[in-house]
């Protein structure tokens, strides 16, 4: 999916919602456990209930890899049914170098090799350009680089400042934007970092930001939009637990849709306020 196509979907659906598919077999409704592939059954129902309300899906790869070959099959089947008008993100947080990164890129981008053809992958940039460029060399794919995350331990490194006051995450933004463009590179910025978006936008005003942490983690959508939205929206706000685990009963898909719809309506208000779409 190109940037232009993504922006078009945001305007069409009046949404910049990304639904996380961190499917935990211990949390899905009990009545699905008798299915041949409970994880896929759950994902399929969630996707069908929310596809008109979101513009991206983000399976967290750890929730599939932990089950070995069976989990990988669930991931392949899930990827195949992801709507083509939604950005598909492999939340893999890969971060190795050279030939290893090239193989990771094949694993998630090359359908003929792996059975997967995601549009985007999350990347940890700690090892430098060697760990990012192999992904950027794949045409028509997105690299989503960790920048300013919302976990408690993020401050151990990301906010370390040099004598000039420049923090490490700022240096990451400056370096990575030299390797890619706003057409193939995004950055992960946690919703709970609030005014940190102001600093992020000083360095990357035009790039899209993938924003986890809204909803169950306590991030404010309004604050994210106030500090992080740009003229084309420039945001993909992810919600996982607040949507996919809204119910553990047979109504789980309906409840997931209700929660996704609430966020979509809030996003519509923000898009109208920013004059990205016309007010209804």
């Amino acid at each position: 999916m190109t940037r232009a196509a993504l922006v078009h979907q945001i305007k069409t659906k009046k949404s910049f919602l990304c639904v996380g598919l961190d499917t935990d077999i211990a949390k899905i409704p009990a009545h699905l456990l008798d299915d041949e592939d409970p994880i896929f059954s759950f994902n399929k129902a969630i996707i069908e209930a929310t596809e008109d309300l979101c513009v991206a899906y983000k399976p967290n790869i750890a929730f599939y890899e932990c089950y070995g070959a069976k989990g990988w099959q669930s991931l392949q089947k899930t990827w195949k049914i992801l709507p083509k008008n939604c950005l598909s993100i492999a939340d893999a947080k890969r971060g190795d170098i050279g030939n290893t990164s090239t193989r990771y890129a094949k694993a998630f981008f090359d359908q003929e090799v792996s059975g997967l053809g995601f549009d985007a992958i999350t990347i940890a940039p700690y090892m430098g350009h060697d760990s990012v460029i192999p992904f950027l060399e794949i045409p028509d794919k997105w690299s989503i680089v960790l920048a300013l995350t919302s976990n408690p331990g993020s401050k151990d490194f990301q906010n370390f400042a040099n004598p000039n006051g420049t923090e490490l995450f700022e240096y990451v933004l400056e370096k990575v934007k030299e390797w890619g463009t706003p057409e193939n590179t995004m950055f992960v910025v946690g919703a709970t970092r609030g005014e940190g978006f102001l600093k992020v936008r000083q360095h990357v005003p035009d790039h899209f930001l993938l924003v986890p942490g809204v909803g169950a983690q306590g991030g404010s959508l309004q604050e994210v939009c106030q500090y992080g939205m740009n003229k084309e929206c420039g945001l993909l706000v992810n919600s996982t637990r607040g949507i996919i685990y809204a119910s553990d009963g047979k109504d789980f898909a309906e409840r997931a849709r209700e929660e996704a719809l609430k966020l979509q309506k809030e996003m519509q208000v923000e898009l109208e306020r920013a004059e990205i779409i016309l007010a209804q």
Side-chain angles (χ1 to χ4, degrees), residues 163-198:
N164 296 324
T166 301
E167 295 180 86
L168 180 57
F169 82 87
E170 296 180 86
Y171 191 73
V172 168
L173 292 168
E174 285 296 326
K175 289 301 293 184
V176 174
K177 76 178 185 180
E178 294 175 6
W179 308 332
T181 73
E183 302 291 329
N184 67 356
T185 312
M186 301 186 192
F187 295 95
V188 176
V189 180
T192 58
R193 299 305 292 262
E195 294 186 17
F197 281 89
L198 288 175

Side-chain angles (χ1 to χ4, degrees), residues 1 4-15 54-55 85-86:
M1 178 177 283
L6 178 57
V7 172
H8 175 73
Q9 288 301 316
I10 289 170
K11 292 179 178 179
T12 300
K13 293 182 175 179
K14 303 178 178 62
S15 171
C54 67
V55 297
N85 64 359
C86 291

